Structure formats: C-alpha cells, structure tokens
Amino acid sequence: METRTSDAAAWRTTAACLGAALLLAGCGGDGGDPPVPAVAELQQACPRLAGTTVGPGAIGLPSGTATVASATLVAASADLPEYCEVKGSIAARTAGADAIRFQLNLPTTWNGKALMYGGGGFNGTLINATAALRDAPAGMPRPLTQGYATFGTDSGHDAAAYNDTDPGRFALNDEMFANFAHASYKKVKDVAHRLIDGFYLRTPSQQYFFGGSEGGREGLMLAQRYPADFDGIVSVVPVIHWTGLFNGFINWTKPQFNGGALNTAEIRTVAQAVTGACDALDGLADGVVNNYLACPARFNLQSLRCTAGADTGDDCLSDPQLATLAAAYGPTTLPFALANGLTTYPGRLFGGEIQPGSEGIGRWVTNGRVPGVPTPLADDGRGVIYGSSYARYVIARDAGFDVRTFDPANFQARIQEVSALMDSTNPDLSAFMRRGGKLIVRENTGDMAQSPMAGFQYYDSVVAKMGAADVDRFMRLYVSPASNHGGAAASLTTGETVPTTADLLSELDRWVTTGTAPADALVQVRNAAAPPHATLASRPMCRYPSYPQYVAGDATAAASYRCTVSAP
C-alpha cells in the first residue's frame, strides 16, 4: 500500500480500506480521531503492515519509497511488553547508495507517545530501539515497556560491508554521507509517523529523541535543522563539533609514530598524578575528580616530564608522549573557520584517564604501540582508527592516504564542506524554542572520546545568541563529574563504582507535558543490578557550571553534597 498524500485522514482511510495496515474502520471518510484500537484489533493488524509502502511525497526530504519488509507480533517477555516489530527500508535515490534501514516497535498498549533512539560511532548498525536508554538506572522500565512507540535506524549504510578499521568508507558516497549527517533521521521519523498513524489511527501526542555520542550530535542536529519535528530531545555527550574532534584525533595520532605511545603503566602514572593534584578540590579525597573546571589550573602535564625529555621508564613521560597527551588535553586549532565561525575544538578535562569498561586514555588515545598505516590495526585506540578513517575516506577520499602527512590546510574546501554537513554547532535554537521544544544535554567530565568542554562552549554560545532567560525556558545542561564516554565512573583509589545513572526521559516528558522544568540538581544513583534494584549510593548531577561539593555526612548520599560553581 502506497501513500501519496500528506493528509492524515486520507492515510487512515486508505489504510483501512486496502487492508495493508488496518481493517478497523469504515471507509466513509474522516470523522475525527477515533479511539486507539483495542489490543485484540492491534494484534490482528500487526502482520498486515508487511508490504506497506510510504511514498516520497509523504517524506519531508527528497527520498525513495519506504517499504515495510516484515511486521511481527512479539510476545511479552520479562523486559518488554507485547509489541509489533516492524522492519523496513527507505530506498536510495542514487546508484551505489545503501537503503536506509529502520525498525519501529508498536506496543499493543500505547501511551500515545513516540521515542526515536540515536546511533553511535559511524553508525551503520540498525538501532532496534528496544534496549534500555543510555545511563538509565538499573530497574528502570525500558521506553517500550513504558508504552512508547520506539524506532531507530542505521542512518543509511550497512557497516557490515566494511572492516572495523575502515568505519568511514561509506562517506565516499555522497548520498550515504548526507544521510549519516542528518537526512536519514528526518526521513525515518516521517515514515514512522505514517506507520504509527495507520496502526493506532493517530499520530503521537509527543515525539521525543534520545541519543548519546554520535546520537547526541543527531539530537542537536534535529533541533537545529528540523525544529518542528521533535517535542523534546535528550543529548548525552554529543559530538557537537564533529569536524574539529576528528582533526584532533589525527593530532594525537601523529606523535605516536615517533615514540609518543603510552603503555598501561604510564597511563596510570598520569592518572595518579591527576588524582593527587585534584581529588580533594571538592572537599573529599575519594579518588574522584568532581571539581572539573578547577583541576586544569592545579595540574600540569609537564610535571611528569622525564629528564631531558627522554623515555626513561614508566614513572615519567618523554617529550613525544607529552605531545600525544597535549593533543588530547589541549585545543585543536584549524587555520580557517568551520561552520558557525568556529576555528578551535577544545581539549579534554582531567579525571578520566582510567575508567571502567577499559575506557580512558588506553581505549581512545593510545594502546602503547605504534599505530598501523595506512590502515590502522583493529585494536589501535578508537581515536586513532576514527581519525585515520576520517582522513582517508571523508576528507582525502583515498584509502591509501597516509595519515602522517595530513595537513588540514591542504583540504580546506573539503573540511569546510564536511563541517557544514556534520557539525551541530548552530547556536540559534529559537525556532525549536518557539514551537515549545525542550532540550536536555548531559556532559561527562571524564570523557576521553570527546571533550565535555565542547558542550560547555556550545551552551554558552546559545546563551550569547538567545539570552539566558530564553535559554532557561527550554534548555538544561547537566554535568556528570568523572563519568567516562559511556557514562560510568569509578574511584581511582578504591575502584568503587560512582553513582552516575539518572532518568532523563522522565524529566524531559514531565517538562514537555506539564511545563515543570527539571531541577537545578538531579539525583544520580547506583542501583543494585538484581531486583528490587535498591539504591546503593546517590550523588547530585548539577547544572553547568556547578559540581557536587562534599559538605558533611555519608559520602554515598546525595544529601551530603551541594552544587557549587566550578571555576578555573
């Protein structure tokens, strides 16, 4: 069944009459939104969605036809309710481009709302939108269990076609790269709404987006490019200044070819020095750097320099090793302006050197050996792999390009073109604000994958553009000290897990539906993994630029802290 009109009533009537989506209503015209069909009717309707098509005219960007390949009623399980699993694709418009794959999950008990999940890395893997949300507390029901219709996409390319060390190869195709940049999310959202409308006989009362890292960039991009499409967005550790970040990956890769790699013991030397200098700045020596903006003034990497800058052992750093870390903790400056006039990507904050889940310097920056060229090795630092793939496929468009020779001045036009597509740095969110949109951003100060300072600077640019009073009406920026890119944190001295999880979706939904803004301090928790998921520890997550300062009492209780401005 193909839809060729943007009129919702015609879509419902066509779906009902043709039987491709629903056989639940008469075909005599629209008499207003009927009630959501009964569970038994939705169960019967689910398999009939297979074969449904949504034509290009119903999609808000130039697009191929969307086709539902399968529609399967999935029985309820311990973690998920009964739902209709819908898988499909949106056809490419040009030869050689992959289709955009999507999955839409339609619970038979619906709360009337929809949630799109964001992707990660270079994408290319279908997000099935059934998992727990990023940073969700243990025991929190998944969005689908809460009654949300959920959906996700692979952003328009299949990563299974590429080696793990070539994740950016799809960017050689212009359509696939534009889909990755922004277009696929808009297209999939439009298709999802057509299918939701056909299934439930109405579109969602609220449409939300929740993503982290690359998915966080997607969320901000949607607020900037498609402000009318989403009522609320949660953006966690967003890769806002994508182009600057990837040039920075190259900057920390180059010294590693000349003795700049750090082994595990040397990384621990750095972590212990940072902890010694900055741990107690929050009033509590617990192996966690909470006072994130004060630390850089208290610690200097040069204090770890070996005699004469030579590599003399694991308890100090050579000049090439210091150059690697300077590229990670220092700014990346380009000799020309990128989108929205930016020339510099900020460095990282101290406190994330060693983190749970093998995160930290060892995962993102260096693994102690010389990287491979032109193709990096599969277990090189992720930043090394990403920077190499960016240089070869996104910018030089040459698989054999040697990253050691990369000079941005030689690729100015292409880098600026990529920045205009990829960077979600536009500070003008006035259209999103005017339509009532709400935005929650979370940054993690122990993040070595991307700089939390990029999020701070973006927030400041929005305030400078729109004014603090207006920004306060629709945007919140929270900071989770010491948390790594994936969200977790642990004490360097004791190994104890720090409470870092919080229910941001409920905060967003309450703000959108009732107008109740999130508090200036939210409570992060560490819950037991097993039911009943008792809270074992808690800590405030403060609005930028504040941090949780220890006052007195039980260090594992949020009430023992107060949010205090973190200042250099």
Side-chain angles (χ1 to χ4, degrees), residues 476-496:
R476 292 289 184 273
L477 169 57
Y478 293 98
V479 183
S480 184
S483 294
N484 63 26
H485 190 62
S491 166
L492 183 70
T493 53
T494 68
E496 184 176 2

Side-chain angles (χ1 to χ4, degrees), residues 299-368:
F299 177 71
N300 188 336
L301 285 168
Q302 290 297 316
S303 67
L304 298 177
R305 185 173 185 260
C306 298
T307 302
D311 188 349
T312 60
D314 294 342
D315 60 350
C316 63
L317 302 180
S318 68
D319 284 344
Q321 290 171 329
L322 287 169
T324 296
L325 294 185
Y329 290 104
T332 296
T333 301
L334 293 167
F336 46 82
L338 299 179
N340 300 296
L342 299 181
T343 60
T344 301
Y345 184 82
R348 285 146 193 80
L349 294 167
F350 294 112
E353 292 71 28
I354 297 175
Q355 287 286 359
S358 300
E359 284 278 346
I361 292 175
R363 173 171 173 78
W364 287 99
V365 184
T366 173
N367 65 359

Side-chain angles (χ1 to χ4, degrees), residues 167-500:
R169 184 148 59 95
F170 73 92
L172 295 173
N173 182 286
D174 288 342
E175 180 179 352
M176 287 156 61
F177 191 50
N179 280 333
F180 171 66
H182 63 88
S184 65
Y185 320 112
K186 164 64 173 171
K187 294 177 185 180
V188 167
K189 176 262 171 184
D190 286 352
V191 170
H193 274 222
R194 293 302 235 178
L195 296 173
I196 289 170
D197 195 11
F199 191 68
Y200 296 119
L201 302 184
R202 62 180 59 185
T203 53
S205 56
Q206 280 82 34
Q207 173 65 63
Y208 300 138
F209 181 94
F210 197 115
S213 188
E214 158 58 23
R217 182 198 69 86
E218 294 160 16
L220 293 180
M221 186 68 77
L222 291 168
Q224 293 165 21
R225 287 183 180 261
Y226 308 109
D229 283 56
F230 290 83
D231 299 285
I233 292 169
V234 175
S235 175
V236 180
V237 295
V239 183
I240 299 172
H241 191 346
W242 193 87
T243 311
L245 171 65
F246 277 71
N247 277 274
F249 288 155
I250 297 172
N251 284 355
W252 79 37
T253 298
K254 286 183 176 181
Q256 297 182 51
F257 292 106
N258 300 296
L262 280 75
N263 63 34
T264 300
E266 290 161 336
I267 293 171
R268 181 158 291 277
T269 294
V270 178
Q272 290 173 336
V274 169
T275 300
C278 301
D279 181 6
L281 294 176
D282 60 356
L284 180 67
D286 60 351
V288 179
V289 177
N290 276 333
N291 195 346
Y292 52 91
L293 290 181
C295 185
R298 309 305 198 278
F299 177 71
N300 188 336
L301 285 168
Q302 290 297 316
S303 67
L304 298 177
R305 185 173 185 260
C306 298
T307 302
D311 188 349
T312 60
D314 294 342
D315 60 350
C316 63
L317 302 180
S318 68
D319 284 344
Q321 290 171 329
L322 287 169
T324 296
L325 294 185
Y329 290 104
T332 296
T333 301
L334 293 167
F336 46 82
L338 299 179
N340 300 296
L342 299 181
T343 60
T344 301
Y345 184 82
R348 285 146 193 80
L349 294 167
F350 294 112
E353 292 71 28
I354 297 175
Q355 287 286 359
S358 300
E359 284 278 346
I361 292 175
R363 173 171 173 78
W364 287 99
V365 184
T366 173
N367 65 359
R369 70 180 184 204
V370 177
V373 286
T375 303
L377 304 172
D379 55 352
D380 280 339
R382 296 307 298 172
V384 172
I385 293 172
Y386 284 2
S388 171
S389 202
Y390 163 83
R392 289 180 295 137
Y393 295 113
V394 178
I395 303 302
R397 295 187 158 188
D398 174 5
F401 180 81
D402 190 333
V403 71
R404 292 173 295 185
T405 69
F406 184 82
D407 181 350
N410 295 333
F411 298 99
Q412 177 175 343
R414 176 58 180 168
I415 292 173
Q416 289 175 322
E417 178 185 23
V418 168
S419 177
L421 269 175
M422 287 295 301
D423 294 350
S424 56
T425 54
N426 184 355
D428 187 359
L429 297 176
S430 56
F432 183 70
M433 179 191 71
R434 285 194 301 269
R435 63 95 63 209
K438 307 299 182 187
L439 172 63
I440 297 176
V441 181
R442 167 176 163 158
E443 287 287 2
N444 298 339
T445 67
D447 192 344
M448 293 302 300
Q450 65 92 37
S451 173
M453 293 292 292
F456 302 164
Q457 291 180 5
Y458 177 69
Y459 178 83
D460 289 340
S461 73
V462 177
V463 171
K465 177 72 175 180
M466 300 179 61
D470 274 350
V471 172
D472 209 46
R473 290 169 50 196
F474 78 96
M475 184 176 182
R476 292 289 184 273
L477 169 57
Y478 293 98
V479 183
S480 184
S483 294
N484 63 26
H485 190 62
S491 166
L492 183 70
T493 53
T494 68
E496 184 176 2
T497 302
V498 174
T500 60

